[in-house]
Amino acid sequence: VTTASAQENSAFFGLANRVGAGVGVGTEGIGVDVAVPVTKYLQARVGFNVMPNININTTADVSGTAAGYSYNEQMDVKGKFSRTTFDFKVDCYPFANASSFFVTAGFSVGGDKLVKITGHSDQLKQHIAEGGKYNLEIGDYQIPVDANGDVSGGVKVKNFRPYLGLGFGRLIPKKRFGARFELGAQFQGKPVVYADGVGDLTKAIDQDTDDDISKFMDWLQVYPVLKVSFRGRIL
């Protein structure tokens, strides 16, 4: 009986002889993927994730000079967190006959502009019109304030991000429907601040900036992934 059961399992999950699909929600956003088996121990998937807009309203430091004097002021800024990513991952089921436990590895691409930063100050616009120069300090960098008193930039990470994870649940359920839980991490590299229309940014004079966006950047090198999905077998 055991031999017959193992043979049935191997036949059920043959090379691309089944197709599964899933819809999930988690820290990557709302995701959709399609999966096929490689062997009874390996299943591969491709999909995409859409992160809805999440806004961070905070106050950031502005440093600059006007009329020959140095000034330190503050500006209300908005950080908008949103992105669309595509991924390819391979799940390994080491105990395929007895458990739906899996470990997974793969990568995500796209969504390198992680946070969009915008801000405006009428007061700084007036100072700049009088010859002043100001920079908004985010993390270790300065984003210049333009002649209209606006700042426009953001935070970028690597476009290609390796991924490791584990969890429970099959990509292709043995029955028609199933559920799945996954916990993992994207390795994004060190976040980089950029400014629209500006090349390399200068380092900030104050290395101890304490705004919410700077705090957010501190833990962005490893992005945590927590996802719950519902699966269906098409074939």
Side-chain angles (χ1 to χ4, degrees):
V1 174
T2 302
T3 302
S5 176
Q7 290 174 345
E8 182 183 349
N9 254 336
S10 296
F12 190 87
F13 293 113
L15 178 59
N17 67 340
R18 306 284 175 180
V19 178
V23 177
V25 62
T27 54
E28 291 179 307
I30 300 170
V32 177
D33 69 73
V34 177
V36 296
V38 180
T39 69
K40 72 173 181 178
Y41 296 105
L42 297 175
Q43 297 178 7
R45 52 179 159 143
V46 292
F48 69 92
N49 303 280
V50 178
M51 174 64 73
N53 290 339
I54 299 175
N55 294 324
I56 303 172
N57 295 304
T58 186
T59 301
D61 294 330
V62 177
S63 61
T65 58
Y69 294 95
S70 297
Y71 290 94
N72 290 308
E73 300 188 22
Q74 290 191 323
M75 176 187 287
D76 292 331
V77 298
K78 177 185 289 186
K80 185 170 71 173
F81 176 58
S82 65
R83 63 176 172 177
T84 299
T85 62
F86 298 88
D87 50 45
F88 172 78
K89 298 171 184 175
V90 176
D91 291 12
C92 175
Y93 295 85
F95 316 108
N97 292 332
S99 171
S100 64
F101 170 79
F102 66 87
V103 293
T104 184
F107 59 86
S108 292
V109 294
D112 57 333
K113 291 183 178 180
L114 188 58
V115 181
K116 176 69 176 177
I117 299 170
T118 56
H120 175 79
S121 170
D122 289 331
Q123 183 178 5
L124 293 180
K125 179 180 178 180
Q126 180 178 348
H127 291 334
I128 292 171
E130 297 169 354
K133 294 183 179 181
Y134 289 88
N135 295 287
L136 179 74
E137 297 184 0
I138 295 293
D140 295 338
Y141 293 90
Q142 296 177 331
I143 300 178
V145 182
D146 66 19
N148 294 318
D150 296 325
V151 293
S152 179
V155 178
K156 294 195 299 186
V157 294
K158 290 182 178 179
N159 190 56
F160 179 89
R161 300 178 295 278
Y163 175 82
L164 292 174
L166 52 81
F168 289 91
R170 299 185 186 276
L171 287 174
I172 306 170
K174 291 184 177 181
K175 298 181 179 180
R176 279 295 176 185
F177 300 99
R180 173 183 165 94
F181 171 79
E182 183 175 342
L183 180 65
Q186 281 186 27
F187 299 93
Q188 303 188 124
K190 185 176 180 179
V192 176
V193 177
Y194 70 93
D196 293 329
V198 179
D200 295 334
L201 298 181
T202 57
K203 286 281 188 177
I205 298 174
D206 180 6
Q207 298 292 329
D208 298 321
T209 50
D210 195 35
D211 55 89
D212 291 339
I213 296 175
S214 298
K215 293 176 182 177
F216 183 62
M217 289 173 58
D218 288 340
W219 56 268
L220 278 181
Q221 293 190 47
V222 179
Y223 184 79
V225 174
L226 176 65
K227 179 182 289 187
V228 176
S229 61
F230 298 95
R231 313 294 309 178
R233 178 164 57 86
I234 301 173
L235 298 175

